[in-house]
Amino acid sequence: MKVPFPANLNLQKKLISPMGKHILITGGTGLVGKHLTSLLLEKGYTVSHLSRKTGNNPKVKTFLWDVAKGSIDADCIIGVDLIVHLAGAGVADKRWTDGRKREIISSRTKSIALIYNLLKQHPHQIKKVVSASATGFYGDCGNELVTETSVPAKDFLGQCCVAWEKAVDEGAALGLEILKLRTGVVLTDEGGALKQLALPIKFGFGTILGSGKQWVPWIHLQDAIDLYVFGIEKELTGVYNMVAPNPATNAKLTITVAKQLNRPLWLPKVPAFALKLALGEMSAVVLASTKVSAAKTEQAGFVFKYPTIKEAIREIYA
Ligand SMILES: NC(=O)c1ccc[n+]([C@@H]2O[C@H](COP(=O)([O-])OP(=O)(O)OC[C@H]3O[C@@H](n4cnc5c(N)ncnc54)[C@H](OP(=O)(O)O)[C@@H]3O)[C@@H](O)[C@H]2O)c1
């Protein structure tokens, strides 16, 4: 059989060269997204964002959407090779009312569905979707080491992750490759859980939450960004845990931060019941014990720059 010679060599080159790839990021203005954007631009990718607000980075074209209203700028998919889906209402930003819970889920599920609807209606060259998911998938598992094949939790976060991953998986029916990265607590002093944990420690009011024995699945921000790029550049599909290979307990994490900041931890532990009273159902975010395996991620060839909590915290607060 005669193989037709590509009519447009430049287009062919663009499709197969990683340096020419165009990546559309949803939620690209967030904690992970802004650093991923910088690294991808540095590596020579073209990056555009889907956002709720106009962007201010001259190197990034921003397309607008309103997930709740179901509106999206259809031009956002033009020339795009791969989508990174990070958008989602902050899980620990506001109290979990029924309305907030719906927003946490729909900002992750309806958002990707909006994009898939566009792909059904317009010609495109998108091959792959790399999506965030979360280790909240596994819920409170005590000391059990959970892997990508473990069952999801029945609680709100577990079911949110199930719905999120299911919505992302709909892309397979459109011929897309799907990669989901179940992310643990991303450690950086710029925001997120570590900033909140470290603030009272800096003022000498640091304390361990609950028993302190609960396992915290964590990853240094740099490793999280590098793992996204690894997932973009390698033939990786399915689910991978985005956590460092050495999980730490809440006590170990808190003590390591206090030591690095040279501050005492003199207050008594905050009992679990007090956290449940103050935070309601959302207390699961700090009280659940989730010991997550990074074995599959390491077997795929990913090498962590910060494999232990000591190395990660030392780098962050050095
Ligand atoms: N950071 C962590 O520790 C961690 C842990 C586990 C999982 N994850 C997941 O990884 C992803 C990225 O994390 P991140 O820390 O970078 O999150 P982030 O800082 O909260 O950013 C998420 C982005 O999503 C967009 N967004 C927020 N509310 C939205 C809504 N109601 N509808 C549509 N878009 C909305 C925003 O972008 P615009 O303002 O530009 O629209 C925001 O910048 C998230 O899905 C998060 O759940 C993060």
Side-chain angles (χ1 to χ4, degrees):
M1 202 179 85
K2 203 172 162 192
V3 179
F5 194 75
N8 183 340
L9 264 182
N10 282 338
L11 178 67
Q12 288 291 321
K13 225 174 167 183
K14 190 178 171 221
L15 290 181
I16 56 174
S17 155
M19 293 302 285
K21 264 190 182 161
H22 182 162
I23 299 182
L24 174 68
I25 308 181
T26 75
T29 58
L31 193 65
V32 173
K34 63 183 179 215
H35 287 276
L36 179 59
T37 299
S38 301
L39 181 55
L40 290 172
L41 289 171
E42 220 173 88
K43 286 172 80 75
Y45 289 91
T46 301
V47 179
S48 50
H49 285 171
L50 250 178
S51 175
R52 295 165 300 165
K53 50 194 188 284
T54 47
N56 52 14
N57 183 346
K59 294 181 187 151
V60 176
K61 190 158 172 49
T62 298
F63 297 91
L64 296 177
W65 65 352
D66 185 327
V67 176
K69 288 188 180 145
S71 69
I72 183 167
D73 183 341
D75 287 352
C76 68
I77 56 169
I78 296 175
V80 171
D81 301 294
L82 185 146
I83 293 167
V84 176
H85 180 42
L86 302 176
V91 162
D93 289 358
K94 288 185 191 167
R95 214 178 163 85
W96 287 355
T97 59
D98 287 349
R100 183 63 181 171
K101 282 182 176 175
R102 277 196 297 275
E103 190 183 359
I104 289 172
I105 296 178
S106 65
S107 56
R108 290 168 168 80
T109 55
K110 283 195 180 158
S111 48
I112 193 70
L114 269 180
I115 300 177
Y116 288 163
N117 271 337
L118 274 188
L119 301 189
K120 283 178 200 159
Q121 293 162 26
H122 302 276
H124 67 88
Q125 63 189 41
I126 297 167
K127 304 267 184 310
K128 185 169 180 178
V129 175
V130 178
S131 178
S133 178
T135 53
F137 180 93
Y138 306 111
D140 190 0
C141 304
N143 288 321
E144 182 198 344
L145 184 68
V146 292
T147 71
E148 288 81 351
T149 56
S150 298
V151 294
K154 291 196 165 61
D155 64 7
F156 168 66
L157 284 183
Q159 291 308 300
C160 171
C161 291
V162 169
W164 187 4
E165 293 189 8
K166 188 167 172 271
V168 171
D169 282 341
E170 297 289 325
L174 305 175
L176 304 174
E177 288 175 14
I178 308 287
L179 172 64
K180 291 155 291 181
L181 298 169
R182 285 188 192 143
T183 313
V185 177
V186 177
L187 299 186
T188 163
D189 60 346
E190 284 177 36
L194 183 63
K195 195 173 177 192
Q196 287 185 23
L197 180 135
L199 191 69
I201 296 177
K202 284 181 183 171
F203 288 106
F205 297 112
T207 181
I208 287 161
L209 301 177
S211 70
K213 290 180 185 160
Q214 67 275 36
W215 290 98
V216 180
W218 63 273
I219 182 164
H220 188 290
L221 175 66
Q222 186 59 56
D223 279 328
I225 303 305
D226 288 347
L227 188 45
Y228 270 106
V229 173
F230 187 83
I232 288 166
E233 296 185 342
K234 306 284 174 196
E235 300 276 313
L236 224 56
T237 56
V239 185
Y240 286 82
N241 288 330
M242 188 184 253
V243 293
N246 297 289
T249 59
N250 172 272
K252 171 99 178 169
L253 170 63
T254 311
I255 290 165
T256 308
V257 173
K259 271 194 185 152
Q260 184 62 38
L261 292 172
N262 223 356
R263 296 284 193 284
L265 277 181
W266 53 270
L267 285 178
K269 294 174 188 167
V270 182
F273 79 83
L275 287 163
K276 282 181 189 156
L277 214 63
L279 300 171
E281 199 182 350
M282 205 167 86
S283 59
V285 173
V286 285
L287 290 176
S289 177
T290 320
K291 193 178 182 191
V292 180
S293 168
K296 186 180 173 192
T297 305
E298 288 193 299
Q299 276 155 20
F302 184 75
V303 179
F304 288 86
K305 284 199 179 90
Y306 304 100
T308 67
I309 195 69
K310 206 171 161 189
E311 288 165 285
I313 295 300
R314 194 193 299 137
E315 191 285 329
I316 291 168
Y317 293 113

